[in-house]
Coordinates of all heavy atoms in Angstrom, one line a residue:
L1 N 6.9 9.9 -2.0 CA 6.2 9.0 -1.1 C 6.8 8.9 0.3 O 6.1 8.5 1.2 CB 6.3 7.6 -1.8 CG 5.3 7.3 -2.9 CD1 5.5 5.9 -3.5 CD2 3.8 7.4 -2.4
L2 N 8.0 9.2 0.4 CA 8.6 9.0 1.7 C 8.6 10.3 2.6 O 8.9 10.2 3.8 CB 10.1 8.6 1.5 CG 10.2 7.3 0.6 CD1 11.7 6.9 0.5 CD2 9.4 6.2 1.2
N3 N 8.1 11.4 2.1 CA 8.0 12.6 2.8 C 6.6 12.8 3.3 O 5.7 12.0 2.9 CB 8.4 13.8 1.9 CG 9.9 13.8 1.6 OD1 10.7 13.3 2.3 ND2 10.2 14.2 0.4
P4 N 6.3 13.7 4.2 CA 4.9 13.9 4.7 C 4.0 14.2 3.5 O 4.4 14.8 2.5 CB 5.0 15.2 5.5 CG 6.4 15.1 6.1 CD 7.3 14.6 4.9
W5 N 2.7 13.7 3.5 CA 1.8 13.8 2.4 C 0.8 14.9 2.7 O 0.2 15.0 3.8 CB 1.0 12.5 2.3 CG 1.9 11.3 1.9 CD1 3.2 11.3 1.4 CD2 1.6 9.9 2.1 NE1 3.6 10.1 1.3 CE2 2.7 9.2 1.7 CE3 0.5 9.3 2.6 CZ2 2.7 7.8 1.7 CZ3 0.5 7.9 2.6 CH2 1.6 7.1 2.1
P6 N 0.5 15.8 1.7 CA -0.5 16.8 1.9 C -1.9 16.3 1.6 O -2.6 16.8 0.8 CB -0.1 17.8 0.8 CG 0.5 17.0 -0.2 CD 1.2 15.8 0.4
I7 N -2.3 15.2 2.3 CA -3.5 14.5 2.1 C -4.4 14.6 3.3 O -4.0 14.3 4.4 CB -3.2 13.0 1.7 CG1 -2.5 12.9 0.4 CG2 -4.5 12.2 1.7 CD1 -1.9 11.5 0.1
K8 N -5.7 14.9 3.0 CA -6.7 14.9 4.0 C -7.8 13.9 3.6 O -8.1 13.8 2.5 CB -7.3 16.3 4.2 CG -6.3 17.4 4.4 CD -6.8 18.3 5.5 CE -5.8 19.5 5.7 NZ -4.4 19.1 5.8
G9 N -8.3 13.2 4.6 CA -9.3 12.2 4.3 C -8.8 10.9 3.8 O -7.5 10.7 3.7
L10 N -9.7 10.0 3.6 CA -9.3 8.6 3.2 C -9.7 8.3 1.8 O -10.6 8.9 1.2 CB -10.1 7.6 4.1 CG -9.8 7.8 5.6 CD1 -10.7 6.8 6.4 CD2 -8.4 7.6 6.0
F11 N -9.0 7.3 1.2 CA -9.2 6.9 -0.2 C -10.0 5.6 -0.2 O -9.7 4.7 0.6 CB -7.9 6.8 -0.9 CG -7.2 8.1 -1.2 CD1 -6.4 8.7 -0.2 CD2 -7.4 8.8 -2.4 CE1 -5.8 9.9 -0.4 CE2 -6.8 10.0 -2.6 CZ -6.0 10.5 -1.6
D12 N -10.8 5.4 -1.2 CA -11.5 4.1 -1.4 C -10.6 3.2 -2.2 O -10.7 2.0 -2.0 CB -12.8 4.3 -2.2 CG -13.8 5.1 -1.4 OD1 -13.9 4.9 -0.2 OD2 -14.5 5.9 -2.0
V13 N -9.7 3.7 -3.0 CA -8.7 2.9 -3.8 C -7.4 3.6 -3.8 O -7.3 4.8 -4.0 CB -9.2 2.7 -5.2 CG1 -8.2 1.8 -6.0 CG2 -10.6 2.1 -5.3
I14 N -6.3 2.8 -3.6 CA -5.0 3.3 -3.7 C -4.2 2.4 -4.7 O -4.2 1.2 -4.5 CB -4.2 3.4 -2.4 CG1 -4.9 4.4 -1.5 CG2 -2.8 3.8 -2.6 CD1 -4.3 4.5 -0.1
F15 N -3.6 3.0 -5.7 CA -2.7 2.2 -6.6 C -1.3 2.6 -6.3 O -1.0 3.8 -6.3 CB -3.0 2.6 -8.1 CG -4.4 2.2 -8.6 CD1 -5.4 3.1 -8.4 CD2 -4.6 1.0 -9.2 CE1 -6.7 2.8 -8.9 CE2 -5.9 0.7 -9.6 CZ -6.9 1.6 -9.5
C16 N -0.5 1.7 -5.9 CA 0.9 2.0 -5.6 C 1.7 0.8 -6.2 O 2.1 -0.1 -5.5 CB 1.2 2.1 -4.1 SG 2.9 2.6 -3.8
R17 N 1.8 0.9 -7.5 CA 2.3 -0.3 -8.3 C 3.8 -0.1 -8.8 O 4.1 1.0 -9.4 CB 1.4 -0.6 -9.5 CG 0.0 -0.8 -9.0 CD -0.9 -1.2 -10.2 NE -0.6 -2.6 -10.5 CZ -0.3 -3.1 -11.7 NH1 -0.3 -2.2 -12.7 NH2 0.0 -4.3 -11.9
N18 N 4.6 -1.0 -8.5 CA 6.0 -1.0 -9.0 C 6.8 0.2 -8.5 O 7.6 0.7 -9.3 CB 5.9 -1.1 -10.6 CG 5.1 -2.2 -11.1 OD1 5.2 -3.3 -10.7 ND2 4.1 -1.9 -11.9
V19 N 6.6 0.6 -7.3 CA 7.3 1.6 -6.7 C 8.1 1.1 -5.5 O 9.2 1.4 -5.2 CB 6.4 2.8 -6.3 CG1 7.2 3.9 -5.6 CG2 5.7 3.4 -7.5
M20 N 7.4 0.2 -4.7 CA 8.0 -0.3 -3.5 C 9.3 -1.1 -3.8 O 10.2 -1.3 -3.0 CB 7.1 -1.3 -2.7 CG 6.0 -0.5 -2.0 SD 5.1 -1.6 -0.8 CE 4.3 -2.7 -1.9
I21 N 9.4 -1.6 -5.1 CA 10.6 -2.4 -5.5 C 11.8 -1.6 -5.3 O 12.9 -2.2 -5.2 CB 10.4 -2.8 -6.9 CG1 10.0 -1.6 -7.8 CG2 9.4 -4.0 -7.1 CD1 10.0 -2.0 -9.3
Y22 N 11.8 -0.3 -5.2 CA 13.0 0.5 -5.1 C 13.4 0.6 -3.6 O 14.6 1.1 -3.4 CB 12.7 2.0 -5.6 CG 12.5 2.0 -7.1 CD1 11.2 2.3 -7.6 CD2 13.5 1.7 -8.0 CE1 10.9 2.3 -8.9 CE2 13.2 1.8 -9.4 CZ 12.0 2.1 -9.8 OH 11.7 2.1 -11.2
F23 N 12.6 0.2 -2.7 CA 12.8 0.5 -1.3 C 13.4 -0.7 -0.5 O 13.0 -1.8 -0.9 CB 11.6 1.1 -0.6 CG 11.0 2.3 -1.3 CD1 9.6 2.5 -1.3 CD2 11.8 3.2 -1.9 CE1 9.1 3.6 -1.9 CE2 11.3 4.3 -2.5 CZ 9.9 4.5 -2.5
D24 N 14.1 -0.5 0.6 CA 14.5 -1.6 1.4 C 13.3 -2.1 2.2 O 12.2 -1.4 2.2 CB 15.7 -1.3 2.3 CG 15.4 -0.1 3.2 OD1 14.3 0.1 3.6 OD2 16.4 0.5 3.7
E25 N 13.4 -3.2 2.9 CA 12.3 -3.8 3.6 C 11.7 -2.9 4.7 O 10.5 -2.8 4.7 CB 12.7 -5.2 4.1 CG 13.1 -6.2 3.1 CD 11.9 -6.6 2.2 OE1 10.9 -7.1 2.7 OE2 12.0 -6.4 0.9
P26 N 12.5 -2.3 5.5 CA 11.9 -1.4 6.5 C 11.1 -0.3 5.9 O 10.1 0.2 6.4 CB 13.1 -0.9 7.3 CG 14.1 -1.9 7.2 CD 14.0 -2.4 5.7
T27 N 11.6 0.3 4.8 CA 11.0 1.4 4.1 C 9.7 0.9 3.5 O 8.6 1.6 3.5 CB 11.9 2.0 3.1 OG1 13.1 2.4 3.7 CG2 11.2 3.2 2.4
K28 N 9.7 -0.3 2.9 CA 8.4 -0.9 2.3 C 7.4 -1.0 3.4 O 6.2 -0.7 3.2 CB 8.7 -2.3 1.7 CG 9.5 -2.3 0.5 CD 9.8 -3.7 0.0 CE 10.7 -3.7 -1.1 NZ 11.2 -5.1 -1.5
E29 N 7.8 -1.5 4.6 CA 6.9 -1.7 5.7 C 6.3 -0.4 6.2 O 5.1 -0.3 6.4 CB 7.6 -2.5 6.8 CG 6.7 -3.0 7.8 CD 7.3 -4.0 8.8 OE1 8.4 -4.6 8.4 OE2 6.8 -4.1 9.9
M30 N 7.1 0.6 6.3 CA 6.7 1.9 6.7 C 5.7 2.5 5.7 O 4.7 3.0 6.0 CB 7.9 2.9 6.8 CG 7.6 4.3 7.3 SD 7.3 5.4 5.9 CE 8.9 5.5 5.1
L31 N 6.0 2.4 4.4 CA 5.1 2.9 3.3 C 3.8 2.2 3.4 O 2.7 2.8 3.3 CB 5.8 2.8 2.0 CG 4.9 3.2 0.8 CD1 4.5 4.7 0.9 CD2 5.7 3.0 -0.5
L32 N 3.8 0.9 3.5 CA 2.6 0.1 3.5 C 1.7 0.5 4.8 O 0.5 0.6 4.7 CB 2.9 -1.4 3.6 CG 3.3 -2.0 2.2 CD1 3.9 -3.4 2.4 CD2 2.0 -2.1 1.3
S33 N 2.4 0.8 5.9 CA 1.6 1.2 7.0 C 1.0 2.6 6.8 O -0.2 2.7 7.1 CB 2.6 1.3 8.2 OG 2.0 1.9 9.3
R34 N 1.7 3.5 6.2 CA 1.1 4.8 5.9 C 0.0 4.7 4.8 O -1.1 5.3 5.0 CB 2.2 5.7 5.3 CG 3.2 6.1 6.4 CD 4.3 7.0 5.8 NE 3.8 8.3 5.5 CZ 4.5 9.2 4.8 NH1 5.7 8.9 4.3 NH2 4.0 10.4 4.5
L35 N 0.1 3.9 3.8 CA -0.9 3.7 2.8 C -2.2 3.1 3.5 O -3.3 3.5 3.2 CB -0.4 2.7 1.7 CG 0.7 3.3 0.8 CD1 1.2 2.2 -0.2 CD2 0.2 4.5 0.0
T36 N -2.0 2.1 4.4 CA -3.1 1.5 5.1 C -3.9 2.5 5.9 O -5.1 2.5 5.9 CB -2.6 0.4 6.0 OG1 -1.9 -0.6 5.1 CG2 -3.7 -0.3 6.7
E37 N -3.2 3.4 6.5 CA -3.8 4.5 7.3 C -4.7 5.4 6.4 O -5.6 6.0 6.9 CB -2.8 5.3 8.1 CG -2.2 4.4 9.2 CD -3.2 3.7 10.1 OE1 -4.2 4.3 10.5 OE2 -3.0 2.5 10.4
Q38 N -4.3 5.6 5.2 CA -5.0 6.5 4.2 C -6.1 5.8 3.5 O -6.9 6.4 2.8 CB -4.0 7.1 3.2 CG -3.0 8.0 3.8 CD -3.6 9.2 4.4 OE1 -3.0 9.7 5.4 NE2 -4.7 9.8 3.9
L39 N -6.2 4.5 3.7 CA -7.3 3.7 3.0 C -8.5 3.6 3.8 O -8.4 3.2 5.0 CB -6.7 2.3 2.6 CG -7.4 1.5 1.6 CD1 -7.5 2.2 0.2 CD2 -6.6 0.2 1.4
A40 N -9.7 3.9 3.3 CA -10.9 3.7 4.0 C -11.2 2.3 4.3 O -10.7 1.4 3.6 CB -12.1 4.3 3.1
P41 N -12.0 2.0 5.4 CA -12.4 0.6 5.6 C -13.1 0.0 4.4 O -14.0 0.7 3.8 CB -13.4 0.8 6.8 CG -13.0 2.0 7.5 CD -12.5 2.9 6.4
G42 N -12.7 -1.2 4.0 CA -13.3 -1.8 2.8 C -12.6 -1.3 1.5 O -13.0 -1.8 0.5
G43 N -11.7 -0.4 1.6 CA -11.0 0.1 0.5 C -10.0 -0.9 -0.1 O -9.7 -1.9 0.5
H44 N -9.6 -0.6 -1.3 CA -8.7 -1.5 -2.1 C -7.4 -1.0 -2.3 O -7.2 0.2 -2.7 CB -9.4 -1.9 -3.4 CG -10.6 -2.7 -3.2 ND1 -11.9 -2.1 -3.1 CD2 -10.8 -4.0 -3.2 CE1 -12.8 -3.1 -2.9 NE2 -12.2 -4.2 -3.0
L45 N -6.4 -1.8 -2.1 CA -5.0 -1.5 -2.4 C -4.5 -2.3 -3.6 O -4.5 -3.6 -3.5 CB -4.1 -1.7 -1.2 CG -2.6 -1.5 -1.3 CD1 -2.2 0.0 -1.7 CD2 -1.9 -2.0 -0.1
Y46 N -4.0 -1.7 -4.6 CA -3.4 -2.4 -5.7 C -1.8 -2.2 -5.7 O -1.4 -1.0 -5.6 CB -3.9 -1.8 -7.1 CG -5.3 -2.1 -7.4 CD1 -6.4 -1.6 -6.7 CD2 -5.6 -2.9 -8.5 CE1 -7.7 -1.9 -7.0 CE2 -6.9 -3.2 -8.9 CZ -7.9 -2.7 -8.1 OH -9.2 -2.9 -8.4
I47 N -1.1 -3.3 -5.7 CA 0.4 -3.2 -5.8 C 0.8 -3.9 -7.0 O 0.0 -4.6 -7.7 CB 1.0 -3.7 -4.5 CG1 0.7 -5.1 -4.2 CG2 0.6 -2.8 -3.3 CD1 1.4 -5.7 -3.0
G48 N 2.1 -3.8 -7.3 CA 2.7 -4.4 -8.5 C 2.7 -6.0 -8.4 O 2.7 -6.5 -7.3
H49 N 2.7 -6.6 -9.5 CA 2.7 -8.1 -9.5 C 4.0 -8.7 -9.0 O 3.9 -9.9 -8.6 CB 2.4 -8.6 -11.0 CG 1.0 -8.4 -11.4 ND1 0.6 -8.6 -12.7 CD2 -0.1 -7.9 -10.7 CE1 -0.7 -8.4 -12.8 NE2 -1.1 -7.9 -11.6
S50 N 5.0 -8.0 -8.9 CA 6.3 -8.5 -8.3 C 6.4 -8.0 -6.8 O 7.4 -8.3 -6.2 CB 7.5 -8.0 -9.1 OG 7.6 -6.6 -8.9
E51 N 5.3 -7.4 -6.3 CA 5.4 -6.9 -4.9 C 4.5 -7.7 -4.0 O 3.6 -8.4 -4.5 CB 5.0 -5.4 -4.9 CG 6.0 -4.5 -5.7 CD 5.5 -3.1 -6.0 OE1 4.3 -2.9 -6.1 OE2 6.4 -2.3 -6.1
R52 N 4.6 -7.5 -2.7 CA 3.8 -8.3 -1.8 C 3.7 -7.4 -0.5 O 4.5 -6.5 -0.2 CB 4.4 -9.6 -1.4 CG 5.8 -9.5 -0.7 CD 6.5 -10.8 -0.6 NE 7.8 -10.6 -0.1 CZ 8.1 -10.6 1.2 NH1 7.1 -10.8 2.1 NH2 9.3 -10.4 1.7
L53 N 2.6 -7.7 0.3 CA 2.5 -7.1 1.6 C 3.5 -7.6 2.6 O 3.7 -8.9 2.6 CB 1.0 -7.2 2.1 CG -0.1 -6.7 1.2 CD1 -1.4 -6.8 2.0 CD2 0.2 -5.2 0.9
I54 N 4.0 -6.8 3.4 CA 4.9 -7.2 4.5 C 4.5 -6.5 5.8 O 3.9 -5.4 5.7 CB 6.4 -7.1 4.2 CG1 6.7 -5.6 3.9 CG2 6.8 -7.9 3.0 CD1 8.2 -5.3 3.9
G55 N 4.9 -7.0 6.9 CA 4.7 -6.4 8.2 C 3.3 -6.5 8.8 O 2.5 -7.3 8.3
D56 N 3.1 -5.7 9.8 CA 1.8 -5.7 10.5 C 0.6 -5.5 9.7 O -0.5 -6.0 10.0 CB 1.8 -4.7 11.7 CG 2.9 -5.0 12.8 OD1 3.4 -6.2 12.8 OD2 3.2 -4.2 13.6
C57 N 0.7 -4.7 8.7 CA -0.4 -4.4 7.8 C -1.0 -5.6 7.1 O -2.2 -5.6 6.8 CB -0.1 -3.3 6.8 SG 0.7 -3.9 5.4
T58 N -0.2 -6.6 7.0 CA -0.7 -7.8 6.3 C -2.0 -8.4 6.9 O -2.9 -8.8 6.1 CB 0.4 -8.9 6.3 OG1 1.6 -8.3 5.8 CG2 0.0 -10.1 5.5
A59 N -2.1 -8.3 8.2 CA -3.3 -8.9 8.9 C -4.5 -8.0 8.7 O -5.6 -8.4 9.0 CB -3.0 -9.0 10.4
R60 N -4.3 -6.8 8.1 CA -5.5 -5.9 7.9 C -6.1 -6.0 6.5 O -7.0 -5.2 6.2 CB -5.0 -4.5 8.2 CG -4.4 -4.3 9.6 CD -4.0 -2.9 9.9 NE -5.1 -2.0 9.9 CZ -5.0 -0.7 10.1 NH1 -3.8 -0.1 10.2 NH2 -6.1 0.0 10.1
Y61 N -5.6 -7.0 5.7 CA -6.1 -7.1 4.4 C -6.6 -8.5 4.1 O -6.0 -9.5 4.6 CB -5.0 -6.7 3.4 CG -4.7 -5.3 3.3 CD1 -3.6 -4.8 4.0 CD2 -5.4 -4.4 2.5 CE1 -3.3 -3.4 4.0 CE2 -5.1 -3.0 2.5 CZ -4.0 -2.6 3.2 OH -3.7 -1.2 3.2
A62 N -7.5 -8.6 3.1 CA -7.9 -9.9 2.5 C -7.4 -9.8 1.1 O -7.6 -8.7 0.4 CB -9.4 -10.1 2.6
S63 N -6.8 -10.8 0.6 CA -6.4 -10.9 -0.8 C -7.6 -11.1 -1.7 O -8.4 -12.1 -1.4 CB -5.4 -11.9 -1.0 OG -5.1 -12.1 -2.4
I64 N -7.9 -10.3 -2.7 CA -9.0 -10.6 -3.5 C -8.7 -10.7 -5.0 O -9.5 -10.6 -5.9 CB -10.1 -9.4 -3.4 CG1 -9.5 -8.1 -3.8 CG2 -10.6 -9.4 -2.0 CD1 -10.6 -7.1 -4.0
G65 N -7.4 -11.0 -5.3 CA -7.0 -11.1 -6.6 C -5.4 -11.0 -6.6 O -4.8 -10.9 -5.6
Q66 N -4.9 -11.1 -7.8 CA -3.4 -11.0 -7.9 C -3.0 -9.6 -7.5 O -3.2 -8.7 -8.3 CB -2.9 -11.4 -9.3 CG -1.4 -11.6 -9.4 CD -1.0 -12.0 -10.8 OE1 -1.8 -12.0 -11.7 NE2 0.3 -12.2 -10.9
T67 N -2.4 -9.5 -6.3 CA -1.8 -8.3 -5.8 C -2.9 -7.2 -5.6 O -2.6 -6.0 -5.8 CB -0.6 -7.7 -6.6 OG1 -1.1 -7.5 -8.0 CG2 0.5 -8.7 -6.6
I68 N -4.2 -7.6 -5.4 CA -5.2 -6.6 -5.1 C -5.7 -7.1 -3.7 O -6.0 -8.2 -3.4 CB -6.4 -6.7 -6.0 CG1 -5.9 -6.5 -7.5 CG2 -7.5 -5.7 -5.7 CD1 -7.0 -6.7 -8.5
Y69 N -5.8 -6.1 -2.8 CA -6.2 -6.4 -1.4 C -7.3 -5.4 -0.9 O -7.3 -4.3 -1.3 CB -5.0 -6.2 -0.5 CG -3.8 -7.1 -0.9 CD1 -2.8 -6.7 -1.8 CD2 -3.7 -8.3 -0.3 CE1 -1.8 -7.5 -2.2 CE2 -2.7 -9.2 -0.7 CZ -1.7 -8.7 -1.6 OH -0.7 -9.6 -2.0
R70 N -8.2 -6.0 -0.1 CA -9.2 -5.2 0.5 C -8.9 -5.1 2.0 O -8.6 -6.0 2.7 CB -10.6 -5.9 0.3 CG -11.7 -5.0 1.0 CD -13.1 -5.6 0.6 NE -13.3 -6.9 1.1 CZ -13.6 -8.0 0.3 NH1 -13.7 -7.8 -1.0 NH2 -13.7 -9.2 0.8
K71 N -9.0 -3.8 2.5 CA -8.8 -3.6 3.9 C -9.9 -4.0 4.7 O -11.1 -3.6 4.5 CB -8.6 -2.0 4.1 CG -8.2 -1.7 5.5 CD -7.9 -0.2 5.5 CE -7.7 0.3 6.9 NZ -7.4 1.8 7.0
I72 N -9.7 -4.9 5.6 CA -10.7 -5.6 6.4 C -10.7 -5.1 7.9 O -11.7 -5.4 8.6 CB -10.7 -7.1 6.3 CG1 -9.3 -7.6 6.8 CG2 -11.0 -7.6 4.9 CD1 -9.2 -9.1 6.9
R73 N -9.7 -4.5 8.3 CA -9.6 -4.0 9.7 C -8.6 -2.8 9.8 O -7.8 -2.7 9.0 CB -9.4 -5.1 10.7 CG -8.0 -5.8 10.5 CD -7.8 -6.8 11.6 NE -8.7 -7.9 11.5 CZ -8.5 -9.1 10.8 NH1 -7.3 -9.2 10.3 NH2 -9.4 -10.0 10.8
Ligands
SAM101 C1 8.6 1.4 -12.5 S1 7.8 3.0 -12.4 C2 6.2 2.5 -12.1 C3 5.2 3.5 -12.6 C4 3.7 3.1 -12.5 N1 3.3 3.1 -11.1 C5 3.4 1.8 -13.2 O1 3.2 0.8 -12.5 O2 3.4 1.8 -14.4 C6 8.4 3.5 -10.8 C7 7.9 4.9 -10.4 O3 8.2 5.1 -9.0 C8 8.5 6.4 -8.8 N2 9.2 6.6 -7.6 C9 10.4 6.0 -7.2 N3 10.8 6.4 -6.0 C10 9.8 7.2 -5.5 C11 9.6 8.0 -4.3 N4 10.5 7.9 -3.3 N5 8.5 8.7 -4.2 C12 7.6 8.8 -5.2 N6 7.7 8.1 -6.4 C13 8.8 7.4 -6.5 C14 9.3 6.8 -10.1 O4 9.4 8.1 -10.3 C15 8.5 6.0 -11.1 O5 7.5 6.8 -11.7

C-alpha cells in the first residue's frame, strides 16, 4: 500500500479495512489522500470500525454509516 500502485482509472468502491491501524498518523493521512484520488466521484470508501478519516481528505466525504464514506468532492 505504501509503494507506487499499478492502478489505472478510478474505483466506485474501495475497501481498506483494518490496515491503517498499523501506520503512524502521517502515513495514514498520506494513504487516505491516495485512496481518495483513486475513488470516483460519489464512490464509497469502507474502513475498519476502529479507524477514522484524518487530514484534508475528511472534508471530501460524507459519512453514510459506521465507517462508510461517500466521496462528495
Ligand atoms: C488485520 S488484517 C485485515 C485484513 C482485512 N482487510 C480484514 O479487514 O479482514 C491487516 C492486513 O493488512 C495488511 N498490511 C499491513 N501492512 C500493509 C502494507 N504496508 N501494505 C499492504 N498491506 C498491508 C496485512 O498483510 C494484513 O492482511
Side-chain angles (χ1 to χ4, degrees):
L1 279 176
L2 304 181
N3 295 325
W5 300 340
I7 292 171
K8 305 223 183 313
L10 301 177
F11 290 85
D12 294 321
V13 182
I14 295 176
F15 297 89
C16 186
R17 306 187 71 233
N18 308 310
V19 180
M20 285 193 293
I21 48 176
Y22 296 109
F23 304 146
D24 62 20
E25 296 296 298
T27 305
K28 288 176 188 173
E29 194 168 337
M30 179 272 291
L31 176 59
L32 283 166
S33 174
R34 292 178 70 193
L35 292 173
T36 301
E37 293 309 315
Q38 292 299 145
L39 196 59
H44 293 87
L45 174 65
Y46 288 68
I47 60 177
H49 286 175
S50 66
E51 298 169 328
R52 62 190 176 89
L53 297 185
I54 59 169
D56 293 344
C57 80
T58 306
R60 303 182 66 184
Y61 289 96
S63 174
I64 60 162
Q66 190 178 5
T67 61
I68 305 170
Y69 300 90
R70 182 171 59 241
K71 185 176 171 180
I72 55 172
R73 60 179 68 93

